[in-house]
Amino acid sequence: MKEVDYIVIGLGIAGLSFCEQLERHDSSFMVFDSSEHTATTVAGGVVNPVVLKRFTLAWGAADFLKEATTFYQHLSKRLETTFFSEIDLHRILANPQEQNDWLVASDKVSLSSFLSTSLITESQPGVLGPFGFGTVKQALRVDTQKLVDAFKKQMIANGRLHSERFDYDKLQITPNGVIYKNLSAKRIVFAEGAQVLENPFFTVEALVPKKGEYIIIKSKELQLDSVLKGPYFIIPLGDDLYKIGATFAHGDTTYDVTSKGKTQLMEAVSKILNCPYTVEHQVAGIRPTVKDRRPLLGALSKEPIYFFNGLGARGLLMAPKLSNMIYDHIETGLQLPNELSIRRFL
């Protein structure tokens, strides 16, 4: 029987970032990931520290962004893959009131590092923006598919990845840890995203899955080199392709794309763009959001079963710092803040 320190379930951004912590600390581990319905690879990949609906700083954004930037820089070098970059992120201002609100917010000490005090008044080709644009500073774009593919490639090369669904019925709890099939581990960490709702060891009613859909459009006339934020994000992908979304569908927990989602996005696009385009593709994913909008970290009992979940729509921003926190919690007993501990739902 093979012995390791950890078994990790799921290789979205939560599982991936936790595995990277294990890698840095020379902990042995094995990963199980079926590659099914991973919200990370569907995501637009924009790492944005600001709530652009209200022009406020996202919860913990300054600390999260600092660690995320360092984390992705280090990981890019280690994987020898360029999957992220700093980007220009422009918020479309809808009216004079939003112009004023932006300028007021950009003068606040907490936001001055993230919001430019100068508005862009020049028109953008193919974009309707009569009231100009505000610029978010320090935003990042992560090519999530490229990141996950590069990470998996290395896991396969190191013999650490099992590309299969995890069978909960085969997990045994022992005095020294857990046993799964022919694998023995001191601990197991579930980082499954919304699929954790199928996990019999996840016994709290905390997660609220939120479906999101994107469309990918093609337009030669648009010629955007920056990310735009109006009702939805418009993200340049290259080759005249742009990813637009994502929606928030309440109550729909299927992974199927819908005509409703497509129509919703196209109606929003018609209010932003004044150039021809074609819809090339549509994708959907389920965000692992939480009732109180805070992540779920830690164990529900004294058994060596841990959860790293509930990162919601800002997983790329939060995962690097949170993965460090949960690793220290498990290994050194560092107490998790109550607002992060999964035990707050017991």
PDB file of all heavy atoms in Angstrom, residues 209-243:
ATOM      1  N   PRO A 209     -25.047  26.651  -4.729  1.00  0.00           N
ATOM      2  CA  PRO A 209     -24.456  26.653  -6.077  1.00  0.00           C
ATOM      3  C   PRO A 209     -25.129  27.688  -6.967  1.00  0.00           C
ATOM      4  O   PRO A 209     -26.347  27.816  -6.981  1.00  0.00           O
ATOM      5  CB  PRO A 209     -24.721  25.224  -6.579  1.00  0.00           C
ATOM      6  CG  PRO A 209     -25.904  24.753  -5.783  1.00  0.00           C
ATOM      7  CD  PRO A 209     -25.799  25.421  -4.444  1.00  0.00           C
ATOM      8  N   LYS A 210     -24.322  28.442  -7.705  1.00  0.00           N
ATOM      9  CA  LYS A 210     -24.828  29.471  -8.609  1.00  0.00           C
ATOM     10  C   LYS A 210     -24.285  29.225 -10.021  1.00  0.00           C
ATOM     11  O   LYS A 210     -23.087  29.315 -10.250  1.00  0.00           O
ATOM     12  CB  LYS A 210     -24.410  30.863  -8.131  1.00  0.00           C
ATOM     13  CG  LYS A 210     -25.064  31.307  -6.829  1.00  0.00           C
ATOM     14  CD  LYS A 210     -26.549  31.601  -7.014  1.00  0.00           C
ATOM     15  CE  LYS A 210     -27.191  32.007  -5.689  1.00  0.00           C
ATOM     16  NZ  LYS A 210     -26.704  33.295  -5.213  1.00  0.00           N
ATOM     17  N   LYS A 211     -25.189  28.924 -10.916  1.00  0.00           N
ATOM     18  CA  LYS A 211     -24.800  28.656 -12.293  1.00  0.00           C
ATOM     19  C   LYS A 211     -24.440  29.944 -13.013  1.00  0.00           C
ATOM     20  O   LYS A 211     -25.083  30.977 -12.838  1.00  0.00           O
ATOM     21  CB  LYS A 211     -25.953  27.965 -13.024  1.00  0.00           C
ATOM     22  CG  LYS A 211     -25.652  27.583 -14.468  1.00  0.00           C
ATOM     23  CD  LYS A 211     -26.830  26.817 -15.049  1.00  0.00           C
ATOM     24  CE  LYS A 211     -26.571  26.369 -16.471  1.00  0.00           C
ATOM     25  NZ  LYS A 211     -27.672  25.528 -16.980  1.00  0.00           N
ATOM     26  N   GLY A 212     -23.404  29.878 -13.827  1.00  0.00           N
ATOM     27  CA  GLY A 212     -23.008  31.015 -14.642  1.00  0.00           C
ATOM     28  C   GLY A 212     -22.748  30.574 -16.068  1.00  0.00           C
ATOM     29  O   GLY A 212     -22.148  29.518 -16.305  1.00  0.00           O
ATOM     30  N   GLU A 213     -23.213  31.372 -17.018  1.00  0.00           N
ATOM     31  CA  GLU A 213     -23.010  31.054 -18.431  1.00  0.00           C
ATOM     32  C   GLU A 213     -22.233  32.169 -19.126  1.00  0.00           C
ATOM     33  O   GLU A 213     -22.382  33.349 -18.795  1.00  0.00           O
ATOM     34  CB  GLU A 213     -24.345  30.845 -19.136  1.00  0.00           C
ATOM     35  CG  GLU A 213     -25.114  29.646 -18.621  1.00  0.00           C
ATOM     36  CD  GLU A 213     -26.370  29.357 -19.432  1.00  0.00           C
ATOM     37  OE1 GLU A 213     -26.242  29.008 -20.625  1.00  0.00           O
ATOM     38  OE2 GLU A 213     -27.475  29.482 -18.864  1.00  0.00           O
ATOM     39  N   TYR A 214     -21.411  31.779 -20.078  1.00  0.00           N
ATOM     40  CA  TYR A 214     -20.664  32.702 -20.935  1.00  0.00           C
ATOM     41  C   TYR A 214     -21.001  32.414 -22.395  1.00  0.00           C
ATOM     42  O   TYR A 214     -21.305  31.266 -22.746  1.00  0.00           O
ATOM     43  CB  TYR A 214     -19.151  32.502 -20.786  1.00  0.00           C
ATOM     44  CG  TYR A 214     -18.533  32.946 -19.502  1.00  0.00           C
ATOM     45  CD1 TYR A 214     -18.421  32.074 -18.424  1.00  0.00           C
ATOM     46  CD2 TYR A 214     -18.004  34.227 -19.368  1.00  0.00           C
ATOM     47  CE1 TYR A 214     -17.809  32.468 -17.241  1.00  0.00           C
ATOM     48  CE2 TYR A 214     -17.389  34.631 -18.186  1.00  0.00           C
ATOM     49  CZ  TYR A 214     -17.300  33.748 -17.129  1.00  0.00           C
ATOM     50  OH  TYR A 214     -16.691  34.142 -15.962  1.00  0.00           O
ATOM     51  N   ILE A 215     -20.927  33.444 -23.212  1.00  0.00           N
ATOM     52  CA  ILE A 215     -20.893  33.244 -24.653  1.00  0.00           C
ATOM     53  C   ILE A 215     -19.541  33.736 -25.165  1.00  0.00           C
ATOM     54  O   ILE A 215     -18.947  34.645 -24.584  1.00  0.00           O
ATOM     55  CB  ILE A 215     -22.040  33.962 -25.396  1.00  0.00           C
ATOM     56  CG1 ILE A 215     -22.049  35.471 -25.096  1.00  0.00           C
ATOM     57  CG2 ILE A 215     -23.373  33.323 -25.077  1.00  0.00           C
ATOM     58  CD1 ILE A 215     -23.050  36.256 -25.927  1.00  0.00           C
ATOM     59  N   ILE A 216     -19.068  33.121 -26.222  1.00  0.00           N
ATOM     60  CA  ILE A 216     -17.844  33.570 -26.898  1.00  0.00           C
ATOM     61  C   ILE A 216     -18.275  34.119 -28.248  1.00  0.00           C
ATOM     62  O   ILE A 216     -18.935  33.411 -29.034  1.00  0.00           O
ATOM     63  CB  ILE A 216     -16.830  32.437 -27.067  1.00  0.00           C
ATOM     64  CG1 ILE A 216     -16.221  32.046 -25.709  1.00  0.00           C
ATOM     65  CG2 ILE A 216     -15.686  32.875 -27.986  1.00  0.00           C
ATOM     66  CD1 ILE A 216     -17.012  31.096 -24.888  1.00  0.00           C
ATOM     67  N   ILE A 217     -17.967  35.381 -28.488  1.00  0.00           N
ATOM     68  CA  ILE A 217     -18.357  36.018 -29.739  1.00  0.00           C
ATOM     69  C   ILE A 217     -17.128  36.311 -30.590  1.00  0.00           C
ATOM     70  O   ILE A 217     -16.000  36.330 -30.080  1.00  0.00           O
ATOM     71  CB  ILE A 217     -19.134  37.333 -29.502  1.00  0.00           C
ATOM     72  CG1 ILE A 217     -18.214  38.410 -28.907  1.00  0.00           C
ATOM     73  CG2 ILE A 217     -20.351  37.086 -28.623  1.00  0.00           C
ATOM     74  CD1 ILE A 217     -18.815  39.812 -28.910  1.00  0.00           C
ATOM     75  N   LYS A 218     -17.358  36.532 -31.893  1.00  0.00           N
ATOM     76  CA  LYS A 218     -16.289  36.917 -32.798  1.00  0.00           C
ATOM     77  C   LYS A 218     -16.671  38.211 -33.492  1.00  0.00           C
ATOM     78  O   LYS A 218     -17.784  38.359 -33.996  1.00  0.00           O
ATOM     79  CB  LYS A 218     -16.030  35.823 -33.838  1.00  0.00           C
ATOM     80  CG  LYS A 218     -14.811  36.098 -34.719  1.00  0.00           C
ATOM     81  CD  LYS A 218     -14.408  34.863 -35.495  1.00  0.00           C
ATOM     82  CE  LYS A 218     -13.087  35.081 -36.216  1.00  0.00           C
ATOM     83  NZ  LYS A 218     -12.616  33.850 -36.889  1.00  0.00           N
ATOM     84  N   SER A 219     -15.734  39.164 -33.470  1.00  0.00           N
ATOM     85  CA  SER A 219     -15.983  40.456 -34.112  1.00  0.00           C
ATOM     86  C   SER A 219     -14.654  41.052 -34.564  1.00  0.00           C
ATOM     87  O   SER A 219     -13.792  41.340 -33.729  1.00  0.00           O
ATOM     88  CB  SER A 219     -16.695  41.425 -33.163  1.00  0.00           C
ATOM     89  OG  SER A 219     -16.807  42.705 -33.745  1.00  0.00           O
ATOM     90  N   LYS A 220     -14.485  41.233 -35.853  1.00  0.00           N
ATOM     91  CA  LYS A 220     -13.269  41.852 -36.371  1.00  0.00           C
ATOM     92  C   LYS A 220     -13.254  43.356 -36.114  1.00  0.00           C
ATOM     93  O   LYS A 220     -12.188  43.975 -36.008  1.00  0.00           O
ATOM     94  CB  LYS A 220     -13.136  41.571 -37.866  1.00  0.00           C
ATOM     95  CG  LYS A 220     -12.832  40.112 -38.180  1.00  0.00           C
ATOM     96  CD  LYS A 220     -12.568  39.918 -39.664  1.00  0.00           C
ATOM     97  CE  LYS A 220     -12.193  38.468 -39.951  1.00  0.00           C
ATOM     98  NZ  LYS A 220     -11.912  38.241 -41.394  1.00  0.00           N
ATOM     99  N   GLU A 221     -14.439  43.947 -36.000  1.00  0.00           N
ATOM    100  CA  GLU A 221     -14.533  45.396 -35.824  1.00  0.00           C
ATOM    101  C   GLU A 221     -14.260  45.850 -34.401  1.00  0.00           C
ATOM    102  O   GLU A 221     -13.905  47.005 -34.171  1.00  0.00           O
ATOM    103  CB  GLU A 221     -15.923  45.890 -36.253  1.00  0.00           C
ATOM    104  CG  GLU A 221     -16.158  45.858 -37.750  1.00  0.00           C
ATOM    105  CD  GLU A 221     -16.546  44.473 -38.250  1.00  0.00           C
ATOM    106  OE1 GLU A 221     -16.593  43.541 -37.419  1.00  0.00           O
ATOM    107  OE2 GLU A 221     -16.784  44.330 -39.463  1.00  0.00           O
ATOM    108  N   LEU A 222     -14.406  44.989 -33.433  1.00  0.00           N
ATOM    109  CA  LEU A 222     -14.312  45.407 -32.027  1.00  0.00           C
ATOM    110  C   LEU A 222     -12.890  45.833 -31.650  1.00  0.00           C
ATOM    111  O   LEU A 222     -12.692  46.890 -31.052  1.00  0.00           O
ATOM    112  CB  LEU A 222     -14.793  44.283 -31.121  1.00  0.00           C
ATOM    113  CG  LEU A 222     -15.023  44.626 -29.644  1.00  0.00           C
ATOM    114  CD1 LEU A 222     -15.893  45.859 -29.498  1.00  0.00           C
ATOM    115  CD2 LEU A 222     -15.654  43.441 -28.923  1.00  0.00           C
ATOM    116  N   GLN A 223     -11.899  45.017 -31.929  1.00  0.00           N
ATOM    117  CA  GLN A 223     -10.490  45.372 -31.731  1.00  0.00           C
ATOM    118  C   GLN A 223     -10.166  45.826 -30.306  1.00  0.00           C
ATOM    119  O   GLN A 223      -9.450  46.795 -30.089  1.00  0.00           O
ATOM    120  CB  GLN A 223     -10.085  46.467 -32.724  1.00  0.00           C
ATOM    121  CG  GLN A 223     -10.165  46.067 -34.182  1.00  0.00           C
ATOM    122  CD  GLN A 223      -9.202  44.935 -34.523  1.00  0.00           C
ATOM    123  OE1 GLN A 223      -8.010  45.035 -34.266  1.00  0.00           O
ATOM    124  NE2 GLN A 223      -9.734  43.867 -35.091  1.00  0.00           N
ATOM    125  N   LEU A 224     -10.691  45.133 -29.312  1.00  0.00           N
ATOM    126  CA  LEU A 224     -10.407  45.465 -27.913  1.00  0.00           C
ATOM    127  C   LEU A 224      -9.083  44.835 -27.473  1.00  0.00           C
ATOM    128  O   LEU A 224      -8.810  43.675 -27.787  1.00  0.00           O
ATOM    129  CB  LEU A 224     -11.505  44.928 -26.995  1.00  0.00           C
ATOM    130  CG  LEU A 224     -12.762  45.760 -26.785  1.00  0.00           C
ATOM    131  CD1 LEU A 224     -13.682  45.029 -25.817  1.00  0.00           C
ATOM    132  CD2 LEU A 224     -12.432  47.135 -26.252  1.00  0.00           C
ATOM    133  N   ASP A 225      -8.286  45.590 -26.707  1.00  0.00           N
ATOM    134  CA  ASP A 225      -7.102  45.007 -26.086  1.00  0.00           C
ATOM    135  C   ASP A 225      -7.170  45.124 -24.566  1.00  0.00           C
ATOM    136  O   ASP A 225      -6.195  44.842 -23.871  1.00  0.00           O
ATOM    137  CB  ASP A 225      -5.822  45.657 -26.618  1.00  0.00           C
ATOM    138  CG  ASP A 225      -5.814  47.171 -26.427  1.00  0.00           C
ATOM    139  OD1 ASP A 225      -6.732  47.700 -25.775  1.00  0.00           O
ATOM    140  OD2 ASP A 225      -4.882  47.815 -26.937  1.00  0.00           O
ATOM    141  N   SER A 226      -8.314  45.551 -24.049  1.00  0.00           N
ATOM    142  CA  SER A 226      -8.515  45.639 -22.607  1.00  0.00           C
ATOM    143  C   SER A 226      -9.814  44.940 -22.244  1.00  0.00           C
ATOM    144  O   SER A 226     -10.692  44.740 -23.094  1.00  0.00           O
ATOM    145  CB  SER A 226      -8.573  47.103 -22.155  1.00  0.00           C
ATOM    146  OG  SER A 226      -9.664  47.770 -22.770  1.00  0.00           O
ATOM    147  N   VAL A 227      -9.934  44.551 -20.976  1.00  0.00           N
ATOM    148  CA  VAL A 227     -11.176  43.954 -20.488  1.00  0.00           C
ATOM    149  C   VAL A 227     -12.165  45.070 -20.170  1.00  0.00           C
ATOM    150  O   VAL A 227     -11.808  46.054 -19.513  1.00  0.00           O
ATOM    151  CB  VAL A 227     -10.918  43.103 -19.229  1.00  0.00           C
ATOM    152  CG1 VAL A 227     -12.225  42.586 -18.647  1.00  0.00           C
ATOM    153  CG2 VAL A 227      -9.980  41.941 -19.552  1.00  0.00           C
ATOM    154  N   LEU A 228     -13.388  44.910 -20.628  1.00  0.00           N
ATOM    155  CA  LEU A 228     -14.445  45.880 -20.333  1.00  0.00           C
ATOM    156  C   LEU A 228     -15.426  45.277 -19.338  1.00  0.00           C
ATOM    157  O   LEU A 228     -15.719  44.080 -19.382  1.00  0.00           O
ATOM    158  CB  LEU A 228     -15.218  46.252 -21.600  1.00  0.00           C
ATOM    159  CG  LEU A 228     -14.559  47.172 -22.627  1.00  0.00           C
ATOM    160  CD1 LEU A 228     -15.544  47.488 -23.737  1.00  0.00           C
ATOM    161  CD2 LEU A 228     -14.066  48.454 -21.972  1.00  0.00           C
ATOM    162  N   LYS A 229     -15.956  46.132 -18.455  1.00  0.00           N
ATOM    163  CA  LYS A 229     -16.988  45.685 -17.517  1.00  0.00           C
ATOM    164  C   LYS A 229     -18.178  46.625 -17.626  1.00  0.00           C
ATOM    165  O   LYS A 229     -18.087  47.815 -17.350  1.00  0.00           O
ATOM    166  CB  LYS A 229     -16.456  45.695 -16.080  1.00  0.00           C
ATOM    167  CG  LYS A 229     -17.511  45.317 -15.026  1.00  0.00           C
ATOM    168  CD  LYS A 229     -17.973  43.885 -15.201  1.00  0.00           C
ATOM    169  CE  LYS A 229     -18.832  43.412 -14.018  1.00  0.00           C
ATOM    170  NZ  LYS A 229     -20.181  44.032 -14.037  1.00  0.00           N
ATOM    171  N   GLY A 230     -19.283  46.083 -18.097  1.00  0.00           N
ATOM    172  CA  GLY A 230     -20.566  46.766 -18.076  1.00  0.00           C
ATOM    173  C   GLY A 230     -21.480  45.900 -17.249  1.00  0.00           C
ATOM    174  O   GLY A 230     -21.141  45.531 -16.128  1.00  0.00           O
ATOM    175  N   PRO A 231     -22.636  45.507 -17.782  1.00  0.00           N
ATOM    176  CA  PRO A 231     -23.444  44.503 -17.071  1.00  0.00           C
ATOM    177  C   PRO A 231     -22.682  43.192 -16.897  1.00  0.00           C
ATOM    178  O   PRO A 231     -22.887  42.474 -15.927  1.00  0.00           O
ATOM    179  CB  PRO A 231     -24.654  44.335 -17.990  1.00  0.00           C
ATOM    180  CG  PRO A 231     -24.723  45.598 -18.786  1.00  0.00           C
ATOM    181  CD  PRO A 231     -23.313  46.020 -18.984  1.00  0.00           C
ATOM    182  N   TYR A 232     -21.817  42.876 -17.870  1.00  0.00           N
ATOM    183  CA  TYR A 232     -20.979  41.682 -17.808  1.00  0.00           C
ATOM    184  C   TYR A 232     -19.561  42.044 -18.265  1.00  0.00           C
ATOM    185  O   TYR A 232     -19.333  43.107 -18.830  1.00  0.00           O
ATOM    186  CB  TYR A 232     -21.542  40.573 -18.708  1.00  0.00           C
ATOM    187  CG  TYR A 232     -22.925  40.131 -18.317  1.00  0.00           C
ATOM    188  CD1 TYR A 232     -24.037  40.561 -19.047  1.00  0.00           C
ATOM    189  CD2 TYR A 232     -23.136  39.307 -17.231  1.00  0.00           C
ATOM    190  CE1 TYR A 232     -25.322  40.167 -18.686  1.00  0.00           C
ATOM    191  CE2 TYR A 232     -24.409  38.910 -16.854  1.00  0.00           C
ATOM    192  CZ  TYR A 232     -25.496  39.346 -17.584  1.00  0.00           C
ATOM    193  OH  TYR A 232     -26.754  38.965 -17.216  1.00  0.00           O
ATOM    194  N   PHE A 233     -18.634  41.131 -18.028  1.00  0.00           N
ATOM    195  CA  PHE A 233     -17.273  41.310 -18.522  1.00  0.00           C
ATOM    196  C   PHE A 233     -17.211  40.983 -20.013  1.00  0.00           C
ATOM    197  O   PHE A 233     -17.859  40.042 -20.482  1.00  0.00           O
ATOM    198  CB  PHE A 233     -16.297  40.394 -17.781  1.00  0.00           C
ATOM    199  CG  PHE A 233     -15.921  40.874 -16.416  1.00  0.00           C
ATOM    200  CD1 PHE A 233     -16.475  40.303 -15.282  1.00  0.00           C
ATOM    201  CD2 PHE A 233     -15.002  41.904 -16.258  1.00  0.00           C
ATOM    202  CE1 PHE A 233     -16.137  40.748 -14.022  1.00  0.00           C
ATOM    203  CE2 PHE A 233     -14.648  42.358 -15.004  1.00  0.00           C
ATOM    204  CZ  PHE A 233     -15.215  41.781 -13.880  1.00  0.00           C
ATOM    205  N   ILE A 234     -16.421  41.751 -20.740  1.00  0.00           N
ATOM    206  CA  ILE A 234     -16.059  41.443 -22.126  1.00  0.00           C
ATOM    207  C   ILE A 234     -14.552  41.246 -22.131  1.00  0.00           C
ATOM    208  O   ILE A 234     -13.791  42.190 -21.898  1.00  0.00           O
ATOM    209  CB  ILE A 234     -16.461  42.563 -23.087  1.00  0.00           C
ATOM    210  CG1 ILE A 234     -17.978  42.815 -23.022  1.00  0.00           C
ATOM    211  CG2 ILE A 234     -16.043  42.220 -24.513  1.00  0.00           C
ATOM    212  CD1 ILE A 234     -18.444  43.932 -23.929  1.00  0.00           C
ATOM    213  N   ILE A 235     -14.118  40.010 -22.383  1.00  0.00           N
ATOM    214  CA  ILE A 235     -12.720  39.623 -22.184  1.00  0.00           C
ATOM    215  C   ILE A 235     -12.095  39.237 -23.519  1.00  0.00           C
ATOM    216  O   ILE A 235     -12.521  38.254 -24.147  1.00  0.00           O
ATOM    217  CB  ILE A 235     -12.633  38.433 -21.210  1.00  0.00           C
ATOM    218  CG1 ILE A 235     -13.362  38.754 -19.901  1.00  0.00           C
ATOM    219  CG2 ILE A 235     -11.185  38.051 -20.948  1.00  0.00           C
ATOM    220  CD1 ILE A 235     -13.676  37.528 -19.059  1.00  0.00           C
ATOM    221  N   PRO A 236     -11.091  39.965 -23.994  1.00  0.00           N
ATOM    222  CA  PRO A 236     -10.417  39.593 -25.247  1.00  0.00           C
ATOM    223  C   PRO A 236      -9.684  38.262 -25.109  1.00  0.00           C
ATOM    224  O   PRO A 236      -8.957  38.041 -24.136  1.00  0.00           O
ATOM    225  CB  PRO A 236      -9.428  40.742 -25.471  1.00  0.00           C
ATOM    226  CG  PRO A 236      -9.891  41.858 -24.593  1.00  0.00           C
ATOM    227  CD  PRO A 236     -10.548  41.207 -23.420  1.00  0.00           C
ATOM    228  N   LEU A 237      -9.886  37.385 -26.080  1.00  0.00           N
ATOM    229  CA  LEU A 237      -9.219  36.079 -26.089  1.00  0.00           C
ATOM    230  C   LEU A 237      -8.184  35.961 -27.196  1.00  0.00           C
ATOM    231  O   LEU A 237      -7.441  34.990 -27.242  1.00  0.00           O
ATOM    232  CB  LEU A 237     -10.260  34.957 -26.260  1.00  0.00           C
ATOM    233  CG  LEU A 237     -11.365  34.869 -25.210  1.00  0.00           C
ATOM    234  CD1 LEU A 237     -12.330  33.750 -25.572  1.00  0.00           C
ATOM    235  CD2 LEU A 237     -10.803  34.659 -23.817  1.00  0.00           C
ATOM    236  N   GLY A 238      -8.139  36.969 -28.091  1.00  0.00           N
ATOM    237  CA  GLY A 238      -7.276  36.885 -29.262  1.00  0.00           C
ATOM    238  C   GLY A 238      -8.029  36.331 -30.455  1.00  0.00           C
ATOM    239  O   GLY A 238      -9.105  35.719 -30.319  1.00  0.00           O
ATOM    240  N   ASP A 239      -7.487  36.555 -31.648  1.00  0.00           N
ATOM    241  CA  ASP A 239      -8.101  36.074 -32.890  1.00  0.00           C
ATOM    242  C   ASP A 239      -9.533  36.591 -33.057  1.00  0.00           C
ATOM    243  O   ASP A 239     -10.417  35.858 -33.544  1.00  0.00           O
ATOM    244  CB  ASP A 239      -8.091  34.538 -32.959  1.00  0.00           C
ATOM    245  CG  ASP A 239      -6.681  33.963 -32.975  1.00  0.00           C
ATOM    246  OD1 ASP A 239      -5.803  34.596 -33.589  1.00  0.00           O
ATOM    247  OD2 ASP A 239      -6.474  32.910 -32.359  1.00  0.00           O
ATOM    248  N   ASP A 240      -9.777  37.835 -32.610  1.00  0.00           N
ATOM    249  CA  ASP A 240     -11.077  38.489 -32.735  1.00  0.00           C
ATOM    250  C   ASP A 240     -12.168  37.821 -31.903  1.00  0.00           C
ATOM    251  O   ASP A 240     -13.362  38.020 -32.147  1.00  0.00           O
ATOM    252  CB  ASP A 240     -11.534  38.555 -34.204  1.00  0.00           C
ATOM    253  CG  ASP A 240     -10.555  39.327 -35.071  1.00  0.00           C
ATOM    254  OD1 ASP A 240     -10.026  40.348 -34.599  1.00  0.00           O
ATOM    255  OD2 ASP A 240     -10.315  38.909 -36.213  1.00  0.00           O
ATOM    256  N   LEU A 241     -11.776  37.030 -30.916  1.00  0.00           N
ATOM    257  CA  LEU A 241     -12.737  36.348 -30.048  1.00  0.00           C
ATOM    258  C   LEU A 241     -12.812  37.044 -28.690  1.00  0.00           C
ATOM    259  O   LEU A 241     -11.801  37.530 -28.162  1.00  0.00           O
ATOM    260  CB  LEU A 241     -12.338  34.889 -29.846  1.00  0.00           C
ATOM    261  CG  LEU A 241     -12.369  33.989 -31.081  1.00  0.00           C
ATOM    262  CD1 LEU A 241     -11.777  32.621 -30.768  1.00  0.00           C
ATOM    263  CD2 LEU A 241     -13.786  33.848 -31.619  1.00  0.00           C
ATOM    264  N   TYR A 242     -14.021  37.066 -28.108  1.00  0.00           N
ATOM    265  CA  TYR A 242     -14.250  37.715 -26.816  1.00  0.00           C
ATOM    266  C   TYR A 242     -15.201  36.851 -25.987  1.00  0.00           C
ATOM    267  O   TYR A 242     -16.201  36.344 -26.495  1.00  0.00           O
ATOM    268  CB  TYR A 242     -14.860  39.108 -27.011  1.00  0.00           C
ATOM    269  CG  TYR A 242     -13.995  40.017 -27.850  1.00  0.00           C
ATOM    270  CD1 TYR A 242     -14.103  40.027 -29.238  1.00  0.00           C
ATOM    271  CD2 TYR A 242     -13.042  40.848 -27.264  1.00  0.00           C
ATOM    272  CE1 TYR A 242     -13.289  40.840 -30.021  1.00  0.00           C
ATOM    273  CE2 TYR A 242     -12.230  41.663 -28.039  1.00  0.00           C
ATOM    274  CZ  TYR A 242     -12.352  41.651 -29.412  1.00  0.00           C
ATOM    275  OH  TYR A 242     -11.557  42.451 -30.176  1.00  0.00           O
ATOM    276  N   LYS A 243     -14.863  36.718 -24.711  1.00  0.00           N
ATOM    277  CA  LYS A 243     -15.702  35.957 -23.786  1.00  0.00           C
ATOM    278  C   LYS A 243     -16.559  36.930 -22.996  1.00  0.00           C
ATOM    279  O   LYS A 243     -16.037  37.898 -22.422  1.00  0.00           O
ATOM    280  CB  LYS A 243     -14.820  35.129 -22.855  1.00  0.00           C
ATOM    281  CG  LYS A 243     -15.555  34.057 -22.068  1.00  0.00           C
ATOM    282  CD  LYS A 243     -14.556  33.130 -21.399  1.00  0.00           C
ATOM    283  CE  LYS A 243     -15.234  31.889 -20.835  1.00  0.00           C
ATOM    284  NZ  LYS A 243     -14.250  30.933 -20.278  1.00  0.00           N
TER     285      LYS A 243
END
